[in-house]
Amino acid sequence: MARYELVKRSVALITLTNPPVNALSSPVRHAIANSMERALSDPKVRAVVICGENGRFCGGADIREFAGPLRGPPLIPVLEAIEAGDKPVVAAIEGMALGGGFELALFCHYRIAQSKARLGLPEVTLGILPAAGGTQRLPRLIGIPAALEMITTGRHISAQEALKLGIVDQVTDQNACETALEFALKAVGKPLSPRRVSTLTTPCPPDLDALLEAATMQVKKKTPGVMAPLACIQAVRAAATMPYSKGMKRESELMATLFNSGQARALQYCFFAQRTAGKWTLPSGAQWNNSKPREIRSAAVIGLGTMGRGIVVSLARVGISVIAVESEKKLLENGRQMVIGMLERDAKRRGVSASLNLLKFTLSLQDLKDVDLVIEAVFEDMALKKRVFQELSKVCRPGTLLCTNTSGLDVDALAGVTDRPHLVAGMHFFSPAHVMKLLEVVCGPRSSSETIATAMSLGKKMGKVSVAVGNCPGFVGNRMLKPYLDQATFLLEEGATPEQIDKALEDFGFAMGVFRMSDLAGLDVGWRVRKESGLTGPDVDPKNPPRKRQGRRYCPIPDMVCEQGRFGQKTGRGWYKYDKPGDTNAKPDPLIQNLLETYRSRYGIQPRNISDQEIIERCLFVLANEGFRILEDGMAARPEDIDVIYLFGYAFPRHRGGPMFYASMVGLERVLERLEHYHQAHPDVPHLEPSALLKKLVACGSPPVQQWREHIKTMRSHL
Ligand code: 3H9
């Protein structure tokens, strides 16, 4: 777990050897303690260098150990022995020094960083704080404002920034370990006291209170209800106002309040869920680690609407040449200008030059004959998409992969009109596609493992969090969204207001409630889909009861809102009113109040007081219930995949872990009981009927979310 060598006859080189990120697991802490003891007691050793194997210094504490009781030596005494020693210790930072890894470096007397290394204290993103002295040592080294920013955001910084801030002593383009060995020899004999960060006085700004207050306001605004950033601020205050030893005590007290919190569990679950989600499997046995993706050098995007433009930008900025296709000259020209503008702004922000030379714009599908992959992003209309796929099948060379950016149509039906169904898959981007991190890769029953491997790997290359899902209406994300939106409108019928529902969801942690979000997205899209599927509009049988469709409860209020030309922010009116079209400041609208009151009295609905708890339960338990059905149907491989989809595609609050994790935290038994209760009250809402999988899990004693997969195994898989 750590290799000990004597090099240059007088330097002890301690190499952490715990792949893949040299996390500070119990055996590693043990090995560091033993190695330091050996180095300090060996008279031949005059200096020590600590580095990590495989070009990675250290990724911090072993997060997997957080779930169990502490085993092995605690980290802080191990690190204190490094600082207290009478021989200079140099950290040779290659790759990354994060969390406890960064703290380890802060206990060393000197730090040398390779120029590509990244450093940071990301603990806050895991719901905890840097509790191996990070909150007390970093402010002493670089001052309160810079330390506060790094600790409360968890931002990783470059080696160059670390040098500028005074965190590292030298940055090298060479091997950091070699440089550190030379450096260590030169440090021998120099006084160590000024190099011990614990002895430094924190430079305290005169406006400390105002600074901390401003930071508090900022984190409350950015991450309302999240505990860890606030605890970080309190710990940094201790660094400014208390002696080191007392500050360390305060840090440890604050850590104790966070460590076992539900938020920390949720955020750590998210960390692993995000990494698990990339590990896809198909029923054939093909999976992420036995299927080879194709290399994609050239791609085409068909349709330059909002989605198509974002997809072109996502491809071009990772160096893939793109042919963008539109059906009319005017649309093509408009799309070209938008894409170029987006790429130029994006490049400016990232400080690189825009890759405009990779782009080609055309009106002709014939130009696509040699591309490696096509992503169709035309209007959401099956007949149109089928025509495009038939055409592509004729035009593209036989090996070209054909993908569709549909948000819910049948991918296999599209595959069926081509000459290569095995090379067809869905790539469902989220709007705006160059910003949103989620990509649902839709595996049709005929999609080959190579096709899925390629779509997943292309997603990763574009910086997306890619999740493989099965081919069912709405796939995973949008399939779950429908019952959630339905509950919100049913609650309106029963007496709630859009403001009340939004506030309950925002207090829960969503950045925007469902109605504010719908206003932002545009209400006309859903209205068109409902009209096309015969739920509203002239196709509805006049004998049909207005609040029922196919025997199920239906709420026509969203249709009524659209009939008034209220399409959301873009028209300046939606569920809320805005000062002008395009404005974002949502204000309650008395006209909507009126509409709701008239509606209720027309249908004889007596409005009742609805509690926030009912809003949360009905909206979120129904969301999870559909998630259970998706798992039952084999359309998602695991609950983690569903949670990742909701975290990255629908802004589910990360400190709640995602809908499935949230359900497990509430307790499956309680979720089942509440769903049964609400279903009894609303028997015409089938989505409220508890799913078979939920019942099965409760019958098995409500195992933790990580074990659900074993219970799902016996069910049918489309993945
Ligand atoms: C801490 O340090 C607390 C202390 O302040 C105080 C203690 C008293 N532990 O991300 P990747 C796994 S809290 C365990 O795909 P990359 C990861 O799950 C910690 N496992 O690679 C994955 O496993 P698998 C503060 C870890 O190259 C594999 O390594 N540190 C840890 O894209 C590869 O990971 C952090 O928050 C860990 N610490 O990115 C840093 N880190 O192959 C967390 C990774 O089975 N880590 N794994 O799926 C990261 O941000 C990224 O992993 C890193 C590498 C940037 C290091």
Side-chain angles (χ1 to χ4, degrees):
M1 288 292 149
R3 209 171 36 244
Y4 182 94
E5 296 158 84
L6 187 65
V7 293
K8 298 190 186 280
R9 280 185 295 179
S10 58
V11 185
L13 176 63
I14 301 172
T15 308
L16 311 185
T17 55
N18 184 19
V21 300
N22 297 321
L24 297 164
S25 62
S26 152
V28 172
R29 298 195 301 274
H30 219 279
I32 297 175
N34 287 344
S35 304
M36 274 311 297
E37 209 179 301
R38 190 170 160 191
L40 293 174
S41 60
D42 184 346
K44 287 195 290 304
V45 173
R46 299 167 70 208
V48 182
V49 167
I50 302 181
C51 66
E53 198 169 51
N54 294 332
R56 297 178 141 197
F57 181 69
C58 177
D62 186 338
I63 307 165
R64 285 178 210 276
E65 284 186 354
F66 289 176
L70 175 73
R71 290 207 174 80
L75 184 57
I76 294 179
V78 172
L79 301 184
E80 281 172 343
I82 297 175
E83 183 180 68
D86 53 4
K87 300 178 184 179
V89 184
V90 184
I93 302 169
E94 301 220 301
M96 86 283 288
L98 296 175
F102 185 31
E103 292 170 302
L104 160 63
L106 290 177
F107 273 92
C108 296
H109 305 112
Y110 299 94
R111 288 158 289 279
I112 306 294
Q114 211 279 331
S115 51
K116 293 207 172 74
R118 316 279 304 165
L119 298 90
L121 292 170
E123 284 87 342
V124 70
T125 64
L126 299 168
I128 54 171
L129 51 70
T135 65
Q136 303 308 298
R137 303 174 76 84
L138 193 59
R140 284 179 162 73
L141 196 61
I142 65 172
I144 299 284
L148 198 58
E149 192 272 335
M150 278 184 72
I151 294 170
T152 55
T153 62
R155 183 170 71 90
H156 298 184
I157 61 169
S158 66
Q160 291 72 16
E161 189 175 348
L163 183 67
K164 227 185 259 171
L165 286 170
I167 294 172
V168 299
D169 301 283
Q170 191 181 322
V171 173
T172 176
D173 290 330
Q174 314 299 316
N175 181 307
C177 194
E178 292 298 327
T179 312
L181 288 171
E182 297 298 329
F183 191 99
L185 283 173
K186 285 187 201 139
V188 173
K190 290 192 183 156
L192 284 179
S193 301
R195 304 299 310 177
R196 294 189 174 107
V197 175
S198 62
T199 63
L200 305 178
T201 308
T202 309
C204 192
D207 56 346
L208 178 71
D209 284 337
L211 195 81
L212 296 177
E213 185 53 32
T216 305
M217 300 300 283
Q218 202 178 347
V219 299
K220 278 189 175 165
K221 189 163 171 233
K222 206 170 139 216
T223 46
V226 185
M227 289 156 30
L230 295 173
C232 288
I233 295 173
Q234 291 182 44
V236 172
R237 176 185 283 281
T241 55
M242 291 179 176
Y244 177 75
S245 59
K246 282 208 170 137
M248 287 294 282
K249 198 158 164 269
R250 182 80 184 115
E251 179 188 271
S252 129
E253 286 162 4
L254 288 162
M255 175 68 156
T257 61
L258 296 176
F259 194 71
N260 292 316
S261 67
Q263 293 193 3
R265 280 167 66 191
L267 288 160
Q268 288 158 29
Y269 163 82
C270 293
F271 175 84
F272 290 115
Q274 190 176 335
R275 281 152 183 85
T276 306
K279 297 178 179 160
W280 56 274
T281 313
L282 296 181
S284 63
Q287 55 184 39
W288 62 283
N289 56 0
N290 63 15
S291 307
K292 204 165 172 285
R294 284 199 204 163
E295 197 185 338
I296 301 298
R297 290 202 191 87
S298 61
V301 176
I302 306 181
L304 285 177
T306 314
M307 290 309 290
R309 295 196 292 261
I311 298 170
V312 173
V313 170
S314 304
L315 289 163
R317 72 177 165 202
V318 295
I320 295 172
S321 62
V322 191
I323 304 181
V325 191
E326 250 305 347
S327 54
E328 289 172 29
K329 215 170 165 189
K330 202 168 149 211
L331 294 175
L332 186 71
E333 193 43 43
N334 185 32
R336 180 210 304 268
Q337 279 171 20
M338 301 281 270
V339 165
I340 290 174
M342 284 157 79
L343 268 175
E344 281 176 344
R345 281 192 297 279
D346 179 70
K348 197 168 163 195
R349 209 180 45 246
R350 294 190 298 139
V352 295
S353 54
S355 25
L356 303 182
N357 57 337
L358 293 171
L359 301 178
K360 185 176 163 186
F361 294 85
T362 179
L363 289 168
S364 167
L365 284 182
Q366 297 299 328
D367 289 346
L368 310 190
K369 60 179 189 307
D370 291 324
V371 294
D372 297 329
L373 173 139
V374 179
I375 302 175
E376 162 278 307
V378 302
F379 207 62
E380 197 71 346
D381 171 337
M382 187 49 123
L384 172 64
K385 284 185 192 278
K386 276 188 173 170
R387 280 201 300 281
V388 170
F389 271 72
Q390 274 163 342
E391 193 62 25
L392 288 172
S393 190
K394 283 187 219 144
V395 165
C396 297
R397 65 178 167 74
T400 300
L401 265 61
L402 305 180
C403 299
T404 171
N405 173 50
T406 173
S407 58
L409 296 178
D410 185 350
V411 170
D412 195 47
L414 289 173
V417 302
T418 71
D419 60 348
R420 62 194 85 180
H422 62 296
L423 296 184
V424 175
M427 287 183 83
H428 178 208
F429 291 81
F430 286 69
S431 182
H434 62 300
V435 176
M436 294 291 285
K437 297 270 283 179
L438 180 66
L439 176 70
E440 281 184 330
V441 171
V442 187
C443 312
R446 291 179 273 179
S447 310
S448 72
S449 55
E450 189 189 30
T451 304
I452 300 309
T454 306
M456 290 292 286
S457 124
L458 181 59
K460 194 168 179 195
K461 187 168 178 183
M462 288 187 282
K464 306 289 176 201
V465 177
S466 311
V467 185
V469 298
N471 180 37
C472 61
F475 313 130
V476 169
N478 286 345
R479 172 170 160 182
M480 286 169 68
L481 194 65
K482 187 178 170 337
Y484 167 78
L485 295 177
D486 281 350
Q487 284 306 312
T489 53
F490 295 158
L491 286 161
L492 285 185
E493 288 183 315
E494 292 165 37
T497 61
E499 301 85 87
Q500 188 200 354
I501 295 171
D502 280 354
K503 179 157 185 324
L505 291 167
E506 286 159 18
D507 287 349
F508 176 81
F510 281 97
M512 265 189 209
V514 54
F515 294 105
R516 288 214 293 143
M517 181 53 98
S518 303
D519 270 3
L520 171 69
L523 308 184
D524 48 330
V525 185
W527 190 35
R528 200 183 58 236
V529 173
R530 291 193 296 278
K531 281 194 280 194
E532 277 164 12
S533 40
L535 290 171
T536 188
D539 293 345
V540 181
D541 183 349
K543 285 198 230 98
N544 196 55
R547 297 177 55 226
K548 281 261 156 81
R549 296 289 182 275
Q550 291 137 9
R552 297 170 175 206
R553 180 169 170 184
Y554 178 79
C555 173
I557 299 174
D559 304 327
M560 293 160 65
V561 170
C562 286
E563 280 156 18
Q564 297 184 5
R566 305 181 69 112
F567 295 157
Q569 285 183 7
K570 60 186 169 193
T571 53
R573 299 176 318 151
W575 292 107
Y576 292 90
K577 66 175 176 181
Y578 302 84
D579 284 344
K580 57 178 186 322
D583 220 46
T584 53
N585 187 15
K587 296 178 182 163
D589 191 341
L591 292 178
I592 290 286
Q593 287 304 327
N594 252 339
L595 183 146
L596 291 175
E597 277 161 26
T598 317
Y599 174 89
R600 289 181 198 126
S601 66
R602 187 193 316 159
Y603 294 110
I605 303 167
Q606 187 62 40
R608 60 185 178 89
N609 280 332
I610 295 173
S611 68
D612 288 356
Q613 183 182 340
E614 178 171 350
I615 295 173
I616 293 300
E617 288 181 350
R618 279 181 56 188
C619 291
L620 298 185
F621 292 179
V622 86
L623 189 69
N625 199 33
E626 192 59 20
F628 285 115
R629 289 215 174 86
I630 284 173
L631 291 170
E632 247 168 64
D633 294 350
M635 293 297 167
R638 20 178 138 72
E640 287 91 338
D641 291 4
I642 296 178
D643 283 334
V644 166
I645 287 172
Y646 263 75
L647 293 172
F648 289 94
Y650 301 85
F652 198 95
R654 204 173 161 91
H655 65 283
R656 303 280 192 179
M660 309 317 285
F661 184 84
Y662 175 65
S664 80
M665 288 294 274
V666 170
L668 297 186
E669 224 161 310
R670 172 152 179 91
V671 175
L672 175 61
E673 181 264 309
R674 296 315 289 156
L675 281 169
E676 275 166 348
H677 165 82
Y678 291 122
H679 188 229
Q680 218 162 34
H682 309 280
D684 52 355
V685 183
H687 281 118
L688 285 169
E689 186 179 2
S691 68
L693 177 59
L694 173 59
K695 288 185 193 157
K696 183 176 170 187
L697 289 169
V698 171
C700 297
S702 301
V705 68
Q706 293 84 352
Q707 288 170 24
W708 293 0
R709 204 150 179 229
E710 287 153 35
H711 300 271
I712 304 163
K713 249 188 221 159
T714 50
M715 302 191 173
R716 177 160 57 110
S717 168
H718 292 273
L719 286 166

